[in-house]
């Protein structure tokens, strides 16, 4: 899932030309499907150029068949995505460390693609259809969700998250000056993660529901995905991160909301916003709650991520 523990005393995997090419191709495929996926969530009246749409999907012969096919497509994404992220499963697969994350991104992207390709509309009443000018307010919320999700990947480590750093054996986050500045004990909270604990999920949930036109199949898609995200975070991600980090992660969860951003912490420092907030200020080490962990207490050099067990994040 989205929260990831950074540990800087473990080197990046050994990479070569082959792993660099593979990770690049997978990343480009992922990026195209990611954009199509968000276009899939908008009606044709808003974004007609998107290749996949709920309302232009094939229509099932009957409602029951349509629902069964759609649920099967959702489960085909959820089940392998949940299983293949587990540490013990990755150990059994014994993939090259340089290709482990790219492979996970690839299977996730394939199942996202299959969902859009084979999604079924079915005969059911329209849930809502908001007209102008109010539809533009919903569209603005949708765009906010998209940007909030996308930029949150950089608050974490976009290039590690999607397998490029592993494929190239290069810490792109550090190379581009995006690595977090940690305090003496190596824990930081910054940007989106100072506002809520699961910002990537927040952006996704907004995108799932912020649409001017909601069909029944779109609602099914949104409700199942949201239920899975919330359940997986509660029962899989947060317990694993608590085991990895300890009490300080529990303290972090107690200080920020799970999904709805708040201003209780400064996004630039991770400290309490009541004490002031600026780019230059740094929280005292007792204020720094762990999103990122530097086991050596030093700066961000080589990086290892311990992904949580469920989502692409």
């Amino acid at each position: 899932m989205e929260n990831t523990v950074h540990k800087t005393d473990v080197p990046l995997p050994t990479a070569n030309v082959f792993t660099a090419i593979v990770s690049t191709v997978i990343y480009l495929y992922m990026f195209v499907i990611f954009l199509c996926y968000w276009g899939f969530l908008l009606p044709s009246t808003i974004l007609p150029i998107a290749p996949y749409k709920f309302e232009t999907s094939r229509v099932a012969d009957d409602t029951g068949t349509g629902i069964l096919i759609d649920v099967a497509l959702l489960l085909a994404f959820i089940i392998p995505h949940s299983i293949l992220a587990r540490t013990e499963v990755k150990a059994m697969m014994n993939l090259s460390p340089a290709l482990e994350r790219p492979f996970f991104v690839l299977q996730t992207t394939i199942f996202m693609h299959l969902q859009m390709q084979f999604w079924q509309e079915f005969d059911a009443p329209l849930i809502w259809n908001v007209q102008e000018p109010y539809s533009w307010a919903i569209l603005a919320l949708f765009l906010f969700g998209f940007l909030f999700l996308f930029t949150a990947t950089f608050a974490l480590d976009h290039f590690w998250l999607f397998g490029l750093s592993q494929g190239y054996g290069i810490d792109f986050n550090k190379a581009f000056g995006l690595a977090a500045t940690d305090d003496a004990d190596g824990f930081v909270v910054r940007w989106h993660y100072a506002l809520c604990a699961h910002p990537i999920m927040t952006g996704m949930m907004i995108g799932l529901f912020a649409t001017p036109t909601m069909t029944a199949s779109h609602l099914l898609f949104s409700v199942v995905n949201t239920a899975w995200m919330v359940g997986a975070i509660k029962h899989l991600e947060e317990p694993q991160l608590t085991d990895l980090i300890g009490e300080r992660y529990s303290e972090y969860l107690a200080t920020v909301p799970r999904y709805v951003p708040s201003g209780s912490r400064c996004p630039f420092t991770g400290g309490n916003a009541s004490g002031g907030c600026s780019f230059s200020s740094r929280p005292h080490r007792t204020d720094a709650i762990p999103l990122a962990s530097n086991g050596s207490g030093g700066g961000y050099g080589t990086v290892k991520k311990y992904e949580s067990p469920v989502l692409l994040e």
Side-chain angles (χ1 to χ4, degrees), residues 60-239:
D61 293 335
D62 60 81
T63 300
T65 300
I67 292 174
L68 286 175
I69 292 173
D70 291 344
V71 170
L73 288 168
L74 290 165
L75 292 176
F77 172 84
I78 289 171
I79 293 173
H81 196 81
S82 302
I83 293 173
L84 292 176
R86 291 185 175 275
T87 303
E88 57 271 23
V89 174
K90 289 188 286 187
M92 290 172 56
M93 293 174 64
N94 197 29
L95 291 172
S96 162
L99 292 177
E100 186 178 272
R101 187 65 182 179
F103 171 77
F104 182 74
V105 173
L106 176 61
Q107 66 82 25
T108 296
T109 307
I110 288 172
F111 284 112
M112 288 171 64
H113 195 170
L114 291 174
Q115 279 183 350
M116 295 184 291
Q117 181 70 49
F118 296 106
W119 192 259
Q120 304 274 302
E121 274 294 308
F122 47 82
D123 185 24
L126 196 63
I127 306 303
W128 67 69
N129 186 25
V130 180
Q131 303 297 317
E132 296 182 9
Y134 306 107
S135 60
W136 293 108
I138 296 176
L139 178 60
L141 181 61
F142 177 89
L143 293 175
F144 169 79
F146 170 82
L147 292 173
F148 195 74
L149 182 157
F150 183 70
T151 54
T153 66
F154 290 93
L156 199 55
D157 184 339
H158 178 88
F159 308 100
W160 190 285
L161 196 61
F162 296 109
L164 286 176
S165 289
Q166 298 91 323
Y168 280 82
I170 298 172
D171 184 357
F172 287 111
N173 213 40
K174 182 182 178 183
F176 295 146
L178 296 172
T181 302
D182 59 349
D183 71 345
D185 64 3
F187 294 108
V188 295
V189 173
R190 65 170 182 170
W191 306 357
H192 309 61
Y193 288 89
L195 303 176
C196 60
H198 307 290
I200 296 178
M201 297 297 96
T202 296
M204 191 69 245
M205 290 175 192
I206 292 172
L208 288 171
F209 290 97
T211 177
T213 304
M214 178 67 79
T215 67
S217 79
H218 188 163
L219 184 63
L220 173 68
F221 182 88
S222 300
V223 168
V224 171
N225 275 304
T226 300
W228 167 57
M229 288 187 287
V230 171
I233 285 170
K234 180 175 178 62
H235 298 292
L236 293 173
E237 178 183 88
E238 291 181 350

